């Protein structure tokens, strides 16, 4: 069984910890929010690569949906969208 | 959801469950969620650590560093939000109160700048140590922990509010237990 465990967000970085129960192996992906131009795109790429490998990525997709909503709300407030 | 068939005691209990939901006892895995040292400017409020997923926060260590007086460090607030609801709001003064003002008593007795440690650690909320300068009545470093299984089903946020008039740097270390 392969799953995404948690998404940890701090002001400087976003890390995704995934775990493969069959091989007892963990993976950690870190996105540097200070230097990454489009962090959400980077996260989408990580989600895709993990989904291809057979991981359950529901936690990431939920996180992405929430962040996109936040961005849209922020843009609406300033008359951009 | 799982179904336990215990009506046939001569057989080992068979456990049926939905796919991708294993049977677990306690925590399946402990994970570390840690932040870098982050400097909050005066009056800033930051969600310093946000963990998304399902699990429990079992141990949180907070490190505060600056040249702060007692009243200033007590104006720093650490809030814990579980699934969007505020569950805990702490400042170092409350940490001291929960532990019986052990450190503050020892700090008064200090003659030169040194580390002070409590004699005993209280199980849930306790200071770990303080680096104190008694000549200027300033705290250089302060460590405390919050221990207890805080369960979350969606997210847990540790928010730090700097109500002081100085920049304060804060670092968080936590152990997050995961279970499906």
């Amino acid at each position: 069984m392969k799953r995404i465990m948690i998404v940890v967000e701090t002001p400087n970085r976003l890390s995704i910890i995934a775990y493969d129960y069959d091989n007892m192996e963990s993976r950690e992906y870190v996105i540097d929010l200070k230097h990454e131009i489009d962090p959400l795109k980077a996260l989408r790429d990580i989600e895709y690569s993990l989904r291809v490998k057979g991981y359950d990525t529901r936690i990431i997709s939920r996180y992405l949906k929430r962040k996109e909503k936040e961005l849209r709300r922020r843009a609406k407030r300033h008359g951009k969208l | 959801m799982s179904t336990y068939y215990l009506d046939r005691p001569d057989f080992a209990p068979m456990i049926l469950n939905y796919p991708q939901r294993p049977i677990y006892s306690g925590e399946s895995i402990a994970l570390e969620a840690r932040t870098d040292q982050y400097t909050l400017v005066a009056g800033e409020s930051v969600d310093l650590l946000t963990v998304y997923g399902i699990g429990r926060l079992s141990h949180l260590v907070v490190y505060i560093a600056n040249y702060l007086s007692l009243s200033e460090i007590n104006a720093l607030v650490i809030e814990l939000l579980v699934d969007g609801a505020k569950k805990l709001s702490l400042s170092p003064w409350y940490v001291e109160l929960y532990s019986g003002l052990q450190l503050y008593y020892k700090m008064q007795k200090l003659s030169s700048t040194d580390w002070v440690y409590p004699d005993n650690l209280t199980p849930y909320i306790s200071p770990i140590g303080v680096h104190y300068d008694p000549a200027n009545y300033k705290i250089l470093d302060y460590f405390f922990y919050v221990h207890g299984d805080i369960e979350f089903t969606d997210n847990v946020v540790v928010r730090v509010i700097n109500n002081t008039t100085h920049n304060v740097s804060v670092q968080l270390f936590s152990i997050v237990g995961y279970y499906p």
Side-chain angles (χ1 to χ4, degrees):
Chain A
M1 195 188 71
K2 295 172 169 184
R3 282 191 77 114
I4 301 300
M5 293 301 182
I6 50 174
V7 176
V8 180
E9 190 188 352
T10 66
N12 295 335
R13 66 191 145 80
L14 187 71
S15 54
I16 300 103
I17 300 170
Y19 201 81
D20 186 349
Y21 273 97
D22 302 330
N23 299 328
M24 301 302 276
E25 179 193 312
S26 70
R27 286 170 182 275
E28 187 172 0
Y29 294 86
V30 178
I31 299 170
D32 190 345
L33 295 175
K34 267 189 177 172
H35 300 105
E36 187 68 51
I37 293 165
D38 192 350
L40 288 186
K41 189 183 176 297
L43 187 60
R44 245 175 257 129
D45 292 347
I46 290 171
E47 187 202 7
Y48 178 74
S49 68
L50 282 168
R51 206 191 305 137
V52 165
K53 286 182 188 120
Y55 281 85
D56 177 3
T57 56
R58 276 177 294 179
I59 286 172
I60 297 186
S61 48
R62 211 181 300 157
Y63 174 84
L64 275 168
K65 206 183 279 178
R66 181 178 312 184
K67 284 289 151 187
E68 277 159 5
K69 254 186 202 169
E70 261 181 40
L71 285 174
R72 220 176 301 145
R73 207 180 307 136
R74 215 175 293 165
K76 259 185 193 166
R77 200 170 289 161
H78 296 285
K80 294 271 167 61
L81 222 112
Chain B
M1 196 188 80
S2 60
T3 315
Y4 293 79
Y5 287 94
L6 296 169
D7 52 353
R8 291 284 301 274
D10 51 330
F11 284 104
M14 194 171 77
I15 299 167
L16 297 179
N17 62 345
Y18 288 135
Q20 305 215 335
R21 281 184 72 88
I23 300 303
Y24 63 92
S25 65
E27 279 161 18
S28 295
I29 184 172
L31 305 161
E32 188 199 28
R34 180 170 49 81
T35 69
D36 302 327
Q37 204 161 323
Y38 185 83
T39 305
L40 287 97
V41 297
E44 194 186 1
S45 152
V46 169
D47 291 352
L48 210 53
L49 180 72
T50 312
V51 180
Y52 294 89
I54 308 166
R56 54 174 85 113
L57 182 83
S58 59
H59 203 85
L60 173 74
V61 177
V62 181
Y63 169 55
I64 302 161
N66 199 356
Y67 204 65
L68 294 170
S69 69
L70 278 176
S71 59
E72 280 167 349
I73 201 165
N74 290 336
L76 201 76
V77 181
I78 284 111
E79 285 184 350
L80 198 74
L81 289 92
V82 180
D83 298 332
K86 190 165 85 178
K87 296 286 180 187
L88 190 71
S89 178
L90 272 178
S91 74
W93 170 245
Y94 291 104
V95 175
E96 279 300 309
L97 277 182
Y98 284 122
S99 67
L101 298 170
Q102 287 187 65
L103 278 190
Y104 281 18
Y105 180 73
K106 278 186 154 187
M107 277 152 61
Q108 306 299 323
K109 303 236 167 192
L110 215 62
S111 57
S112 62
T113 304
D114 203 356
W115 281 89
V116 180
Y117 306 100
D119 288 329
N120 48 23
L121 299 171
T122 44
Y124 300 114
I125 299 167
S126 177
I128 299 168
V130 62
H131 193 192
Y132 187 59
D133 175 10
N136 301 308
Y137 306 104
K138 299 283 187 186
I139 292 169
L140 284 82
D141 306 277
Y142 187 88
F143 281 94
F144 74 87
Y145 71 72
V146 178
H147 180 80
D149 286 339
I150 298 156
E151 297 203 346
F152 59 93
T153 51
D154 189 64
N155 63 50
V156 64
V157 181
V158 183
R159 181 176 292 166
V160 183
I161 304 163
N162 181 8
N163 287 331
T164 67
T165 50
H166 298 273
N167 294 358
V168 182
S169 94
V170 178
Q171 192 172 9
L172 302 171
F173 308 85
S174 70
I175 293 170
V176 182
Y178 171 84
Y179 61 91

